[in-house]
Amino acid sequence: MQNTSNAKEAVLTLNKVCKNFGGVVAAKDISFDLYSGEVFGLIGPNGAGKTTLINLITGIYKVDGGTILLNGHDITKTPAHTRARRGITRTFQHPHLLNRCDIETNIYLGVDLAKKNKLLKSLDHKKLLDELLEVAGLKLNMRDGIDKLAYGQQKLLEVVRAILTRPSVLLLDEPAAGLNQKEMEHIVALVDIAIKMNSAVLLIEHRMDLVMSICDRITVLNFGNQIANGKPAEIQDNPVVIEAYLGRKRGA
Ligand SMILES: Nc1ncnc2c1ncn2[C@@H]1O[C@H](COP(=O)(O)OP(=O)(O)OP(=O)(O)O)[C@@H](O)[C@H]1O
Ligand SMILES: [Mg+2]
């Protein structure tokens, strides 16, 4: 895998990470580095193991083998909440918002009351929130329930919530799935803000126009195996990748 800068240390490193579910190989010897200020694409057909990798990086799943490093420190056995505190933030393939709570409560879900009150009083924080909401095209009443939001708005709100934590590692699981063209442009603009704040962004996406236009590097999974690594143009023309997307069966 290419190192974008020889002098730069990786924010996140996966080293031969493995995960099986019974007989299903969801991740086999997956290795890559993620650097600050880059968008790293993680693509592959349905069931390839993309979301599993996010669950392994965040600590929701335990690895069966291999190691995960954050800023050079081994976090393979670090609990999920500690990884989150150290700057690993994710969004979900299907929005994880509480329908019965208002928008503000959802934005600060998991943040303790004292910290929330402090954040709400911080001008910097308020400025960032306003900027993110504007870039996301969200004109919201914070007291409204989540059920007032359309699906695309909920997905955008999740990305806003994630970037608001100023993550060092931002893991986006199909942020543009189900979004219209305009909403997808909002996603691009939000990712741009994350990059400007120097987050390392891992982007899982099936929408190839988005992947090819905003990723610096890409890795491709198929049946839990890393079948290709490279720049967008290299991946686009790679016959192994094309074959995987055309749906060759496992072991065929
Ligand atoms: N908790 C689990 N228990 C059992 N099997 C699982 C679990 N999570 C994932 N798998 C299996 O691991 C494989 C990879 O799943 P994963 O959700 O990571 O794929 P994906 O690449 O995110 O697919 P999609 O593009 O459809 O979201 C699949 O065969 C899936 O059924
Ligand atoms: Mg998935």
Side-chain angles (χ1 to χ4, degrees):
M1 171 82 51
Q2 158 212 349
N3 186 337
T4 46
S5 157
N6 291 333
K8 221 169 154 184
E9 193 191 320
V11 178
L12 187 82
T13 298
L14 268 64
N15 185 20
K16 297 195 171 216
V17 165
C18 298
K19 182 73 183 174
N20 300 328
F21 295 105
V24 174
V25 178
K28 184 165 189 293
D29 291 337
I30 306 296
S31 300
F32 57 77
D33 290 318
L34 230 69
Y35 295 90
S36 293
E38 74 163 342
V39 185
F40 183 80
L42 182 61
I43 65 170
N46 293 116
K50 305 179 296 296
T51 299
T52 297
L53 270 190
I54 286 194
N55 287 326
L56 291 168
I57 294 167
T58 53
I60 299 300
Y61 294 161
K62 288 188 175 26
V63 302
D64 291 333
T67 51
I68 302 173
L69 308 182
L70 181 65
N71 297 314
H73 300 289
D74 192 333
I75 57 158
T76 315
K77 292 188 174 147
T78 303
H81 63 272
T82 309
R83 295 189 204 191
R85 230 182 22 239
R86 291 190 192 160
I88 299 181
T89 303
R90 69 160 320 162
T91 65
F92 293 87
Q93 201 164 334
H94 306 289
H96 274 209
L97 298 167
L98 296 180
N99 265 331
R100 278 177 294 161
C101 296
D102 66 18
I103 291 168
E104 185 179 282
T105 306
N106 271 281
I107 289 178
Y108 298 100
L109 221 52
V111 178
D112 71 57
L113 197 59
K115 181 155 184 222
K116 179 178 164 183
N117 287 337
K118 198 171 154 201
L119 286 172
L120 288 172
K121 281 186 199 142
S122 152
L123 286 182
D124 269 1
H125 178 80
K126 181 80 178 71
K127 202 170 140 215
L128 178 59
L129 175 59
D130 289 346
E131 182 190 3
L132 290 169
L133 290 173
E134 190 184 334
V135 164
L138 293 171
K139 292 187 181 67
L140 306 175
N141 177 347
M142 288 291 162
R143 298 286 159 230
D144 276 348
I146 289 297
D147 50 2
K148 285 251 170 79
L149 302 183
Y151 182 77
Q153 291 179 306
Q154 292 191 20
K155 292 207 69 158
L156 284 158
L157 184 64
E158 265 215 334
V159 179
V160 166
R161 176 173 70 180
I163 300 177
L164 196 57
T165 68
R166 300 179 189 269
S168 55
V169 177
L170 175 62
L171 308 165
L172 300 174
D173 198 347
E174 300 194 31
L179 268 56
N180 62 34
Q181 186 62 32
K182 183 79 196 145
E183 289 166 336
M184 192 170 94
E185 284 162 19
H186 290 309
I187 293 286
V188 173
L190 286 170
V191 169
D192 211 42
I193 294 181
I195 290 306
K196 289 202 178 96
M197 63 170 61
N198 236 2
S199 299
V201 180
L202 183 142
L203 175 71
I204 295 178
E205 219 5 282
H206 285 293
R207 293 179 72 165
M208 286 305 134
D209 48 346
L210 178 60
V211 171
M212 295 302 163
S213 64
I214 71 170
C215 291
D216 300 295
R217 297 180 296 137
I218 295 172
T219 196
V220 188
L221 301 182
N222 196 23
F223 295 127
N225 288 274
Q226 211 167 354
I227 59 168
N229 301 299
K231 294 192 168 168
E234 295 160 350
I235 294 297
Q236 224 161 1
D237 296 335
N238 185 323
V240 177
V241 176
I242 294 165
E243 192 176 79
Y245 270 94
L246 288 178
R248 204 169 121 166
K249 297 245 179 329
R250 186 191 291 263

